């Protein structure tokens, strides 16, 4: 199955946003373990970079997005 990762779910995972993080990680892991192909849109990547710019440096943001996208 192919799934599109919601922007907010990605932000929850990347920023450890409580109380949503644990549910987001759980859903993401279930999809990966089932062998689903998980995608994220380019618009979501831009939104994530914009929303998290104050929490992380640009390099940290890029690294975190690379880490999650390499799993996708």
């Amino acid at each position: 199955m192919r799934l599109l990762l919601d922007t907010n779910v990605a932000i929850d995972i990347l920023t450890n946003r409580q109380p949503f993080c644990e549910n987001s990680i759980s859903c993401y892991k279930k999809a990966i373990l089932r062998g689903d192909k998980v995608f994220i849109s380019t618009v979501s990547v831009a939104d994530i970079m914009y929303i998290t710019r104050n929490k992380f440096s640009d390099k940290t943001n890029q690294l975190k997005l690379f880490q999650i996208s390499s799993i996708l």
Side-chain angles (χ1 to χ4, degrees):
M1 181 182 296
R2 294 184 295 177
L3 302 172
L4 184 64
L5 187 67
D6 180 73
T7 303
N8 289 309
V9 172
I11 291 170
D12 294 344
I13 294 168
L14 293 170
T15 64
N16 198 28
R17 186 165 55 173
Q18 297 299 327
F20 312 107
C21 180
E22 291 180 26
N23 287 334
S24 295
I25 290 172
S26 176
C27 290
Y28 180 70
K29 281 184 179 179
K30 285 179 186 176
I32 296 299
L33 292 174
R34 274 195 321 239
D36 295 340
K37 291 187 177 189
V38 182
F39 298 91
I40 189 166
S41 73
T42 53
V43 171
S44 291
V45 172
D47 289 345
I48 292 165
M49 293 291 287
Y50 179 77
I51 292 167
T52 62
R53 73 188 184 285
N54 291 329
K55 185 169 179 76
F56 304 116
S57 69
D58 285 342
K59 290 290 182 193
T60 303
N61 249 348
Q62 292 169 358
L63 179 61
K64 284 183 171 283
L65 284 173
F66 177 75
Q67 288 170 338
I68 198 169
S69 66
S70 66
I71 297 169
L72 302 175

